[in-house]
Amino acid sequence: MLGPENLKTPVFDIYLADLELEAKSLVGKRVLDLGAGTAMFASEAKRMGYRVCSVDSDETVWLPIRNEMLMAKNRGLTSEGLVHWQDVLASCCLTDMGKLPFANESFGLVVSRYACPQLLSTSQEVKLVLSEVVRVLKVGGEARLFPWKSERWPEEIKAMIVEALDFLAETKDIWVEVKKKEVKQPWGLVEKVELLTLRKFKPRGADRFGISWAK
């Protein structure tokens, strides 16, 4: 059962706002969070009945989860609280974003917030990750990567993004949308960024789907 409609939590809401998703977008779907960090999105989503698998290449980011479990035991919390953290940790996967250990078409939704392409250093890595995202997406599923580009990023990173978009334009059976946004950072700076959305369709022979630049 999903939690009450009015049940909201900070990380969960921030994710949805940045990715321009609604909570109902997660209903009935297996969700993959790339570069998930401390897996707080998965933790908060689980409390509301959603299924999120967290991927990160650095196991130390999950130390807070283990600490939460240890503190829960020390405080004598109910088994329900401990089971929650055990389940969150069980859904964490230690791997590179470009080597996902999941079967084809495993997820209805793939998300990444401040991880792809920020945590990647070459255009080849970006292309590899995008290929993996397309592979693990179910037909009819979509991926949202934020921010895909920022006006304040170095020119070499921007060039890498352009190359990745050219790669996506040649990828079969997907639709790509790039949407420009303005985001106010906690320190007050308004940053112009882009949100990338991929949608996967049924195979259509030699058809290709291009890139839409949303206003």
Side-chain angles (χ1 to χ4, degrees):
M1 286 291 291
L2 295 178
E5 291 278 330
N6 60 354
L7 178 58
K8 296 184 178 181
T9 46
V11 172
F12 187 79
D13 286 349
I14 291 170
Y15 254 72
L16 295 187
D18 283 345
L19 298 169
E20 296 193 353
L21 290 170
E22 296 181 2
K24 64 182 181 181
S25 303
L26 281 65
V27 175
K29 295 178 182 176
R30 191 180 179 206
V31 182
L32 178 63
D33 184 8
L34 296 176
T38 55
M40 289 300 102
F41 176 64
S43 174
E44 295 178 7
K46 179 171 178 53
R47 293 188 189 279
M48 290 177 277
Y50 305 116
R51 298 179 299 160
V52 178
C53 178
S54 302
V55 164
D56 206 283
S57 59
D58 182 3
E59 191 174 19
T60 62
V61 297
W62 297 322
L63 287 177
I65 299 177
R66 295 190 171 92
N67 290 338
E68 286 281 352
M69 293 173 63
L70 180 60
M71 287 188 292
K73 288 181 180 179
N74 291 339
R75 293 196 301 264
L77 293 185
T78 64
S79 59
E80 182 180 354
L82 291 176
V83 167
H84 169 80
W85 288 111
Q86 289 168 348
D87 288 348
V88 170
L89 193 60
S91 69
C92 291
C93 180
L94 182 68
T95 186
D96 292 335
M97 289 187 284
K99 300 177 182 178
L100 300 177
F102 306 111
N104 295 349
E105 300 186 9
S106 296
F107 298 92
L109 177 65
V110 177
V111 299
S112 180
R113 182 175 177 273
Y114 286 97
C116 179
Q118 292 89 328
L119 301 183
L120 307 173
S121 56
T122 68
S123 59
Q124 186 58 35
E125 285 183 309
V126 178
K127 293 176 187 177
L128 185 59
V129 172
L130 293 175
S131 295
E132 282 290 86
V133 168
V134 172
R135 181 183 67 79
V136 301
L137 263 183
K138 290 183 176 181
V139 172
E142 71 175 30
R144 298 210 176 188
L145 312 180
F146 176 86
W148 174 246
K149 187 174 78 172
S150 167
E151 63 177 350
R152 64 185 178 87
W153 288 359
E155 291 304 316
E156 58 267 26
I157 301 298
K158 294 179 182 178
M160 185 172 74
I161 300 307
V162 171
E163 189 175 338
L165 282 178
D166 289 340
F167 168 76
L168 281 174
E170 296 299 322
T171 302
K172 186 178 178 180
D173 304 319
I174 66 164
W175 178 260
V176 182
E177 179 183 275
V178 181
K179 183 174 183 179
K180 297 183 183 299
K181 298 182 58 169
E182 288 189 348
V183 178
K184 187 174 182 179
Q185 300 294 355
W187 52 88
L189 175 69
V190 175
E191 182 181 1
K192 293 182 179 179
V193 299
E194 293 177 356
L195 168 67
L196 180 73
T197 300
L198 307 180
R199 296 186 180 92
K200 189 171 183 179
F201 296 88
K202 292 181 180 179
R204 298 187 180 186
D207 287 356
R208 294 288 187 274
F209 291 89
I211 298 175
S212 169
W213 295 87
K215 294 182 180 179

